[in-house]
């Protein structure tokens, strides 16, 4: 089916990002927005816009019926969900399908499969992807101790409905096991309405490395290399880079090919991210995300491939624009997430941006819906923009980033820009010498 009008079921920088791709492809656009986002840049730039409800997300950006109604009113024949909100909601994909509207993403079946972390891991094993040693499926009160003894302490209990770090508990010894199990189960039941948990060997100092894949749903798929997202705070990524400073080209192409082959076997459609922990030279699958991710532009920077174009192509049945051997990795890219937050406490800082000057020059990309006079509403996440810097080498990329950060002006609110000025000057970061705990340790070490 051809796609002639796309409704963008999101807000902020990603709504603008998707809108830009639609315009390039000559596809008409519909913005939807809450009453709090009437002044947003993506609403101004879209061909049409529809107000879908009051500020709370559950009444607007998560309101499936309002979004479907907006499609019917405007005649949109496809929906791009962006990230977050309804992007990994299988029911939403099913409902759009029932209305004859194309969901720009994977099948509802694949979203469900990967949304349940136990079935995701079993699928990964079947597809030949290396996983973290752990339980074969759900852990119960009956098999709890035997499973932990087989795996060996320390172990980690994780919610099957979780992901993103919610509902996880470590047990360092046998004494801690039952408490960890009970706490994880009740947290999972409260947070997700599903108490089921599974168990893994706890890895103490891994890096978070994720591979970008895209498939056409007909058995063709490619990988676009990896991103290192180890620099996080409370499971919020702060700084991402491609390639990972920890990998060489042989490792990249070996695991990348395993990921692409797995996507071919499952006939995956759309963009996806296969997340690994990487420790002592080994990769361990943890989860797969079935959406476009916030940090996708660093992959675009090093491959020159527009991932939203590819998503739209495969959703319309046009297939991928590239084969694996046509994908050339070039240079290094770093993304800094600019949040409207205090750069040390991360307390949100909504309000009016009085001055806004985005940096420019070779190898610089700023994805942001912010502008001077824009009032950041307090109802949503605090991401106001992303700075993506590309260089021929990691050293050139870091030098450019340092220059660019000095040029970036956002006044009237607090932002995380000063944190990046600290990080770009840090010796461990310059050496690429960090793991998933580095940033929190650094913040604790350098706090006043
Ligand atoms: C782990 C782990 C150590 N061992 N699994 C956190 C989020 C979720 N996606 C997976 N997470 C982890 N799983 C095993 N077997 C440590 C983490 C983890 C983490 C992972 C990636 C990035 C940042 C993190 C911060 C704390 C814990």
């Amino acid at each position: 089916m051809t796609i002639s009008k796309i409704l963008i079921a999101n807000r902020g920088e990603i709504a603008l990002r998707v809108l830009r791709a639609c315009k390039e492809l000559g596809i008409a656009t519909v913005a939807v927005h809450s009453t709090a986002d009437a002044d947003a840049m993506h609403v101004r730039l879209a061909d049409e816009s529809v107000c879908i409800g009051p500020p709370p997300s559950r009444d607007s950006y998560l309101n499936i019926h309002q979004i479907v109604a907006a499609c019917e009113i405007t005649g949109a024949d496809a929906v791009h969900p962006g990230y977050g909100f309804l992007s990994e909601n299988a029911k939403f994909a099913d409902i759009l399908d029932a209305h004859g509207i194309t969901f720009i993403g994977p099948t509802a079946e694949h979203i469900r499969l990967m949304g349940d972390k136990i079935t995701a891991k079993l699928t990964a094993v079947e597809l030949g992807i290396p996983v973290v040693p752990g339980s074969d499926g759900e852990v119960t009160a009956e098999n709890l101790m035997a499973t932990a003894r087989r795996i060996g302490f320390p172990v980690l209990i994780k919610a099957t409905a979780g992901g993103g770090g919610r509902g996880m508990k470590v047990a360092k010894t046998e004494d801690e096991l039952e408490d960890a199990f009970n706490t994880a189960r009740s947290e999972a039941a409260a947070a997700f309405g599903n108490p089921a948990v599974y168990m893994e060997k706890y890895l103490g100092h891994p890096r978070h490395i994720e591979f970008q894949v895209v498939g056409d749903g007909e058995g063709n798929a490619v990988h676009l290399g990896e991103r290192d997202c180890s620099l996080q705070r409370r499971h919020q990524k702060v700084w991402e880079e491609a390639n990972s400073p920890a990998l060489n080209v042989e490792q990249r192409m070996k695991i990348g090919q395993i990921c692409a082959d797995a996507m071919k076997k499952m006939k995956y459609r759309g963009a996806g991210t296969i997340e690994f922990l990487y420790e002592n030279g080994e990769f361990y699958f943890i989860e797969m995300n079935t959406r476009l991710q916030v940090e996708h532009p660093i992959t675009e920077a090093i491959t020159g491939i527009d991932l939203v174009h590819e998503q739209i192509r495969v959703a319309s049945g046009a297939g991928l624009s590239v084969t694996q051997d046509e994908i050339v990795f070039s240079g290094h890219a770093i993304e800094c997430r600019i949040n409207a937050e205090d750069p040390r406490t991360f307390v949100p800082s909504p309000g009016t941006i009085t001055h806004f000057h985005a940096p420019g020059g070779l190898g610089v990309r700023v994805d942001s819906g912010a502008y001077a006079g824009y009032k950041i509403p307090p109802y949503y996440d605090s991401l106001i923009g992303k700075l993506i810097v590309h260089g021929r080498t990691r050293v050139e990329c870091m030098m450019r980033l340092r220059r660019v950060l000095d040029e970036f002006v956002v006044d009237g609110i607090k932002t995380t820009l000063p944190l990046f000025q600290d990080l770009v000057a840090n010796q461990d970061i310059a050496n690429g010498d960090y793991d998933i705990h580095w940033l929190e340790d650094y913040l604790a070490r350098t706090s006043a």
Side-chain angles (χ1 to χ4, degrees):
M1 7 66 243
T2 69
I3 293 176
S4 51
K5 191 187 277 195
I6 292 178
L7 182 142
I8 303 162
N10 216 299
R11 64 179 302 282
E13 67 85 19
I14 196 63
L16 194 54
R17 163 73 189 89
V18 172
L19 187 127
R20 286 171 171 153
C22 294
K23 292 209 167 195
E24 288 175 8
L25 295 173
I27 298 170
T29 52
V30 179
V32 292
H33 64 90
S34 72
T35 53
D37 281 336
D39 294 331
M41 188 58 83
H42 77 277
V43 175
R44 294 196 200 179
L45 293 180
D47 297 310
E48 294 170 78
S49 64
V50 180
C51 181
I52 51 166
S57 300
R58 69 178 171 279
D59 299 322
S60 50
Y61 300 104
L62 291 172
N63 188 331
I64 293 176
H65 296 293
Q66 284 285 76
I67 291 167
V68 172
C71 289
E72 312 251 88
I73 290 165
T74 58
D77 47 16
V79 171
H80 195 300
Y83 50 68
F85 294 129
L86 297 168
S87 61
E88 292 178 287
N89 186 313
K91 196 180 99 188
F92 182 53
D94 275 334
I95 291 173
L96 289 179
D97 199 47
H99 284 79
I101 301 162
T102 301
F103 176 75
I104 301 174
T107 60
E109 188 194 349
H110 283 159
I111 296 173
R112 267 191 202 100
L113 186 72
M114 294 304 171
D116 181 291
K117 304 309 165 190
I118 290 177
T119 57
K121 225 180 139 181
L122 294 172
T123 306
V125 172
E126 263 177 53
L127 294 170
I129 299 174
V131 301
V132 190
S135 57
D136 293 322
E138 188 175 346
V139 283
T140 60
E142 288 68 44
N143 66 24
L144 179 68
M145 186 58 79
T147 306
R149 284 180 178 154
R150 175 174 62 77
I151 296 168
F153 288 89
V155 296
L156 189 57
I157 317 273
K158 294 181 168 181
T160 191
R166 291 187 300 168
M168 296 197 328
K169 285 284 164 282
V170 185
K172 290 191 288 297
T173 61
E174 292 192 5
D175 310 339
E176 295 178 359
L177 189 60
E178 204 165 288
D179 270 1
F181 173 73
N182 290 327
T183 313
R185 270 184 77 81
S186 49
E187 283 186 13
F192 314 112
N194 177 359
V197 296
Y198 63 109
M199 190 188 293
E200 286 183 345
K201 177 86 187 165
Y202 177 71
L203 304 176
H205 290 281
R207 299 177 79 110
H208 171 125
I209 296 178
E210 55 183 37
F211 278 78
Q212 178 70 56
V213 291
V214 196
D216 68 357
E218 288 169 11
N220 301 300
V222 294
H223 77 86
L224 289 90
E226 83 285 5
R227 300 182 285 260
D228 195 317
C229 307
S230 300
L231 293 172
Q232 312 204 2
R233 176 187 173 271
R234 298 193 185 167
H235 304 295
Q236 294 294 314
K237 293 169 186 163
V238 170
W239 159 307
E240 303 100 343
E241 51 186 308
N243 304 311
S244 170
L247 299 192
N248 61 41
V249 66
E250 287 74 28
Q251 292 171 296
R252 168 169 316 113
M253 294 320 260
K254 179 172 171 234
I255 301 295
Q257 199 54 55
I258 289 171
C259 292
D261 288 344
M263 295 304 104
K264 288 177 192 175
K265 266 188 247 173
M266 69 187 279
K267 292 195 158 66
Y268 187 76
R269 183 188 70 214
T273 301
I274 305 182
E275 292 189 355
F276 294 92
L277 298 177
Y278 173 79
E279 191 174 74
N280 301 326
E282 301 287 339
F283 286 91
Y284 305 95
F285 170 90
I286 45 170
E287 293 170 21
M288 178 172 179
N289 301 317
T290 54
R291 61 166 191 278
L292 184 72
Q293 293 199 249
V294 176
E295 60 273 23
H296 77 277
I298 54 175
T299 298
E300 297 183 325
I302 63 160
T303 61
I305 294 167
D306 187 310
L307 284 163
V308 181
H309 284 191
E310 296 304 314
Q311 287 187 296
I312 295 169
R313 284 182 65 100
V314 299
S316 72
L320 296 165
S321 76
V322 283
T323 57
Q324 191 68 55
D325 54 311
E326 290 168 347
I327 298 172
V328 181
F329 298 98
S330 172
H332 194 90
I334 295 173
E335 173 178 276
C336 299
R337 296 195 188 191
I338 317 298
N339 288 341
E341 291 173 351
D342 182 285
R344 277 283 148 177
T345 63
F346 299 91
V347 172
S349 177
T352 301
I353 296 176
T354 54
H355 295 276
F356 186 84
H357 179 262
L362 181 63
V364 181
R365 168 174 174 180
V366 177
D367 277 20
S368 177
Y371 53 87
Y374 175 65
K375 190 172 179 192
I376 301 157
Y379 309 103
Y380 312 107
D381 74 23
S382 54
L383 185 74
I384 56 160
K386 304 182 308 205
L387 170 62
I388 302 101
V389 174
H390 182 247
R392 288 172 301 174
T393 62
R394 188 169 186 271
V395 169
E396 186 176 85
C397 187
M398 291 282 284
M399 288 168 62
R400 183 163 288 152
L401 177 57
R402 190 192 294 244
R403 181 273 290 177
V404 161
L405 286 167
D406 284 337
E407 219 174 290
F408 210 145
V409 179
V410 184
D411 288 343
I413 55 156
K414 290 181 188 174
T415 76
T416 46
L417 280 165
L419 172 65
F420 295 113
Q421 290 184 307
D422 292 346
L423 294 179
V424 79
N426 181 278
Q427 197 56 54
D428 288 346
I429 301 297
N431 296 339
D433 184 12
Y434 56 80
D435 63 23
I436 61 169
H437 302 296
W438 189 93
L439 182 60
E440 292 196 19
D441 291 349
Y442 167 81
L443 292 167
R445 197 164 68 229
T446 56
S447 66

